[in-house]
Amino acid sequence: MSSQFMRSKLINVCRLDNNTLVVHGVLDDSIYSLELDFKVELAGLGCFDVEGRWLRWTTPECPRSLEFIRLVEGLKLTDPVSERVHKTLGRRSCRHYANLFLEMVYAVRETVRMLELDLPGAALSEPEPPAEADEAGDEPEKVSSTVASPERTASRGFSQKPAGGFIVDLHLHTAPASPCASDSVAEMIVVAKKRGLDGICLTDHNYLWSEKEVQKLRERHDFLILRGNEVVTDQGDMLVFGFHEEIRGVVRLRDLKEQVAARGGFIIAAHPFRGFLTFAADDIGLTVESASRREMFKWVDGVEVLNGRVTENENRLAREVAAALHLPATGGSDAHQVSEVGRCATLFPAPFHDETGLVAALRSGDYRPLSLSGD
Amino acid sequence: MPRNIPLFTFNRCTSVEVVGDNELRSVCRLRDSVTDAEIAVNVRLPDLEIIGISGYFHHDRLQPPADLDAHLRRVVGVRVGSGMLKIIAGLLGEDENCRQLVYMVEECCHGVILNLTRKVLLQAPDDEAGSFAFFSGLVKKSTRLYDRCAAYAAGSPLVREFEAEKQERESSS
Ligand SMILES: [Zn+2]
């Protein structure tokens, strides 16, 4: 039994004086080696004097991350900080510094609790383990994508669409319903119309639009707006249509399938091969054959093979798996902001006007993914 | 208390090893002034599915679920990869008693990813030009790296080619 990878993190918290803690952390693993130091004033658990040091790194530009190491100065460790640290330190500096910093925050909080230090005016939030370290590259925002395009309306940009057919973007997020989206539903609709789509489906994460709300939007914009839902399951994200039950937390796909089927709904596996930062499916020997054996494909009615936010290879694998399993293939932008609306969509042969029509069209299997992306 | 004697010490070690033909075992151990815990996750290749998990968790204040192994087994079948964090947290619960546990499961999964990342990085040439070409090629292959850290930030030398190609694609269309 030989170990291939090891990551050690060592942290200690000392007292500098009556008002100040000093925290020292080391992250040393089979790739990186780095250190962080900072101080914490005990009165409000504010963090200051942040310093970082690289001992081993990978790209020739990694040392640039130290220019941004002080972005976490001033953070109050009494508040939840994890998201902010990932957005600032993790994104602008380096996610390994963010990872170590959050472990150090955890250590500070445990120290404060252990010593029952009096924190005037500040209730310490629960020790917050450094969640959301994003080694999987799993963050929808700002994914710059090169979209594969089996049906590319090439070189004509967004406003062009093929003659005939009915184009619907089946996968779209709006703010504030999806916390990760940045533009409102009204803005998304205006752009969808401008780009020549015939309709859009609102698939906010575990969020249910009411029929009334959607009807109002339809009338106001004179545009086809349908309800869907993007549900987090144990097998990944699923686009669900024709099913309007509220879903909380993470559900088993098998259970979801049972419920959706009972209501005559339709489930599409969203971006089934959305992958990693530094390696791709083929690097780990994932083939069409092995990928097709995934449990999820037993339970879905269709596969999203053209997603606007994943890489060309990831879309290609989805396309090949859907073909191998004879599952219908759809496209959707997965837009989180207006610039992404309609980048990918699904082309149906004939129009429909409501959710019943959409589900019937999806069941027919007669449609194809479409890239309207200008790039 | 003297200044140079720590109030609190923390040691987390995560290791990934090969077990059997198509299986990795990732173990996260945490030892700090108030915690003694270990979580082991077995993952099948190449689909990176969690096929086994077990562990223990002792903490001065926090109480883990009574039947910890049964609780942990909720994540069996989940795949290591995109979206895993919200799935794992959702299945194991975000109760205060579970947070560190959830983190340790995630840390095991990150270990698996870092192990695979290391294999990619082992192909990087040693010389300056070769290394530069390798890492600027990486962002072209994995576009997700773009603007995700200082090294691959917009305007960094490493993304110059990537940005030029992107612009060319956009203007030619
Ligand atoms: Zn989505």
Side-chain angles (χ1 to χ4, degrees), chain A residues 4 9 13 103 314 374, chain B residues 7 12 16 59 107 144 173:
Chain A
Q4 294 196 326
K9 288 179 259 190
V13 182
E103 295 271 35
E314 288 158 3
Chain B
L7 301 167
R12 191 196 300 280
V16 183
H59 187 282
E107 188 81 347
R144 233 176 246 117
S173 63

Side-chain angles (χ1 to χ4, degrees), chain A residues 178-232:
Chain A
S178 291
C180 48
S182 48
D183 292 323
S184 73
V185 65
E187 292 168 286
M188 300 296 245
I189 294 168
V190 168
V191 174
K193 286 175 78 169
K194 214 161 66 191
R195 291 190 179 153
L197 299 183
D198 296 302
I200 57 170
C201 290
L202 305 176
T203 53
D204 289 300
H205 294 291
N206 289 43
Y207 179 90
L208 268 190
W209 286 85
S210 77
E211 174 56 27
K212 229 167 143 190
E213 275 173 297
V214 171
Q215 183 56 36
K216 251 203 219 146
L217 287 170
R218 267 181 223 144
E219 284 162 15
R220 188 174 327 137
H221 296 275
D222 187 25
F223 190 63
L224 180 65
I225 298 142
L226 300 168
R227 293 182 298 164
N229 200 334
E230 186 169 18
V231 178
V232 185

Side-chain angles (χ1 to χ4, degrees), chain B residues 4-172:
Chain B
N4 56 347
I5 304 292
L7 301 167
F8 186 88
T9 49
F10 169 108
N11 184 344
R12 191 196 300 280
C13 177
T14 307
S15 56
V16 183
E17 63 215 26
V18 179
V19 287
D21 276 350
N22 294 305
E23 199 175 321
L24 296 174
R25 179 175 173 81
S26 184
V27 186
C28 176
R29 302 167 186 86
L30 172 63
R31 205 63 207 251
D32 68 34
S33 302
V34 293
T35 320
D36 173 16
E38 178 174 317
I39 301 287
V41 173
N42 285 47
V43 169
R44 190 179 57 210
L45 295 166
D47 49 343
L48 301 184
E49 187 177 319
I50 296 177
I51 53 172
I53 181 165
S54 61
Y56 67 84
F57 189 85
H58 305 296
H59 187 282
D60 280 3
R61 191 181 71 256
L62 302 173
Q63 275 299 324
D67 187 346
L68 181 59
D69 282 349
H71 187 80
L72 290 170
R73 277 196 294 274
R74 293 180 184 180
V75 302
V76 168
V78 171
R79 275 188 329 274
V80 173
S82 164
M84 70 178 178
L85 299 182
K86 62 185 176 190
I87 298 173
I88 292 168
L91 291 172
L92 295 181
E94 287 163 272
D95 168 47
E96 190 210 344
N97 286 299
C98 283
R99 284 193 203 167
Q100 181 55 245
L101 260 177
V102 169
Y103 183 75
M104 291 177 73
V105 176
E106 293 171 356
E107 188 81 347
C108 288
C109 296
H110 285 144
V112 169
I113 297 171
L114 285 162
N115 177 51
L116 296 165
T117 300
R118 181 173 174 270
K119 289 192 173 152
V120 173
L121 297 173
L122 283 172
Q123 298 157 21
D126 244 346
D127 64 293
E128 209 176 305
S131 159
F132 185 86
F134 177 86
F135 286 107
S136 52
L138 215 52
V139 66
K140 287 193 250 170
K141 188 178 165 200
S142 297
T143 52
R144 233 176 246 117
L145 284 169
Y146 180 61
D147 225 6
R148 288 296 290 271
C149 63
Y152 286 111
S156 154
L158 280 182
V159 302
R160 235 165 251 156
E161 259 177 67
F162 170 81
E163 285 175 333
E165 283 177 19
K166 196 171 154 224
Q167 206 167 24
E168 203 173 300
R169 260 201 317 277
E170 275 159 19
S171 60
S172 75

